[in-house]
């Protein structure tokens, strides 16, 4: 490994204190927040290095929770949703308290069971502006909302669109018992083709002030 600065040394891995869990560059980790009432911060480790006094530091790229974003948590955000931000930091490796897995949206929706360590990410997030990439996503159902993987949806056999039971006047229990489902458009005679719209996910407001960086 190439030396970066005098006294600094790149490390292949770091073992989380008191565990046998090994963290390498590219892994996602939970980091202890300064305020212990808060949930742990989630970050992706970019680099691990030690200084000349053997203090191990990690260069991390933060994931933001929806409530930490400028636009806040919205109805279509999943409970385990994270945004990969453009906000980097160097932290002491001692603040790492565990590892986690940040899945792609597609893989997350295929998980049989969602464990405490499972998260997903479908957006990149610009911390300064609150903007998302991609900034539009497909919408579903009559209510034209992006998919929240926490909500049960049923697929129409006609148009193949997905629907919330509540938007179709059904309970979750009724929807679970369905063998076949046709939405109200497909079960009526007129077959006008529905176009799939998209939904803007970035806040429209201009960035006014540089948002305060969170204290870590
Ligand atoms: Zn709906
Ligand atoms: Zn339909």
């Amino acid at each position: 490994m190439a030396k970066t600065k005098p006294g600094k040394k790149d490390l292949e891995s770091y073992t989380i204190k008191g565990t046998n869990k090994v963290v390498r560059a590219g892994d996602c980790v939970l980091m202890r927040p300064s305020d212990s009432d808060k949930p742990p911060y989630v970050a992706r480790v970019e680099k691990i290095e030690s200084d000349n006094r053997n203090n191990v530091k990690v260069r991390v790229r933060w994931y933001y929770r929806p409530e930490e974003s400028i636009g806040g948590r919205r109805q279509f955000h999943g409970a385990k949703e994270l945004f990969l931000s453009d906000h980097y930091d160097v932290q002491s490796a001692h603040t790492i308290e565990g590892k986690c897995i940040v899945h792609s949206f597609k893989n997350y929706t295929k998980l049989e069971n969602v464990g405490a360590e499972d998260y997903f990410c479908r957006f990149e997030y610009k911390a300064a502006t609150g903007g998302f990439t991609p900034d539009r996503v497909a919408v579903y159902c009559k209510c034209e909302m992006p998919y929240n993987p926490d909500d049960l949806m049923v697929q129409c056999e006609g148009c193949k669109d997905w629907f919330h039971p509540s938007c179709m006047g059904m309970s979750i229990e009724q929807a679970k018992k369905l063998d076949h489902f046709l939405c109200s458009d497909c079960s009526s005679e007129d077959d006008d083709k529905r176009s799939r719209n998209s939904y803007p996910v970035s806040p429209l407001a201009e960035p006014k002030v540089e948002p305060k960086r969170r204290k870590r």
Side-chain angles (χ1 to χ4, degrees):
M1 279 270 150
K3 286 197 175 161
T4 46
K5 284 179 198 158
K8 282 195 177 177
K9 194 167 79 208
D10 285 359
L11 299 178
E12 282 289 328
S13 65
Y14 167 76
T15 304
I16 302 173
K17 258 202 310 187
T19 74
N20 55 7
K21 288 182 181 147
V22 178
V23 175
R24 293 187 169 82
D27 287 349
C28 295
V29 292
L30 301 167
M31 304 189 86
R32 202 164 27 250
S34 44
D35 178 351
S36 58
D37 291 343
K38 293 236 176 91
Y41 294 125
V42 186
R44 192 169 80 187
V45 174
E46 303 285 311
K47 197 176 185 189
I48 308 170
E49 56 186 25
S50 69
D51 63 17
N52 51 6
R53 288 150 71 196
N54 270 337
N55 295 313
V56 182
K57 303 270 188 194
V58 284
R59 180 172 158 81
V60 296
R61 183 171 177 182
W62 294 115
Y63 282 100
Y64 277 50
R65 295 173 195 270
E67 34 283 283
E68 296 169 334
S69 71
I70 291 173
R73 175 173 284 278
R74 299 169 77 172
Q75 198 202 320
F76 63 89
H77 291 145
K80 304 302 289 291
E81 181 148 9
L82 299 171
F83 312 135
L84 182 61
S85 81
D86 57 354
H87 177 182
Y88 293 81
D89 254 328
V90 175
Q91 296 279 305
S92 164
H94 292 302
T95 59
I96 299 176
E97 51 182 30
K99 287 177 81 172
C100 63
I101 308 162
V102 182
H103 299 273
S104 69
F105 185 66
K106 199 173 162 192
N107 288 348
Y108 180 81
T109 58
K110 288 181 188 161
L111 290 180
E112 294 253 328
N113 293 298
V114 176
E117 71 288 356
D118 291 309
Y119 294 87
F120 74 90
C121 178
R122 59 180 150 176
F123 296 114
E124 289 198 16
Y125 175 72
K126 277 204 162 45
T129 64
F132 290 99
T133 309
D135 72 347
R136 302 188 84 83
V137 286
V139 295
Y140 302 90
C141 189
K142 286 276 186 213
C143 62
E144 304 203 326
M145 286 302 286
Y147 181 41
N148 180 341
D150 299 338
D151 294 338
L152 175 79
M153 293 188 101
V154 289
Q155 191 177 27
C156 169
E157 289 177 6
C159 60
K160 306 292 182 202
D161 196 359
W162 291 83
F163 295 88
H164 300 110
S166 60
C167 296
M168 294 285 112
M170 284 185 286
S171 69
I172 302 279
E173 293 314 309
Q174 286 172 316
K176 279 181 179 165
K177 285 185 204 137
L178 284 178
D179 289 324
H180 301 282
F181 171 69
L182 277 179
C183 72
S184 49
D185 282 355
C186 292
S187 52
S188 67
E189 290 307 308
D190 68 278
D191 59 345
D192 61 304
K193 293 268 182 291
R194 285 158 39 81
S195 62
R196 179 159 290 178
N197 295 320
S198 59
Y199 185 91
V201 292
S202 292
L204 297 170
E206 291 289 315
K208 291 175 288 278
V209 281
E210 178 86 5
K212 256 193 156 150
R213 282 160 70 104
R214 293 173 296 174
K215 276 226 180 79
R216 291 285 154 96

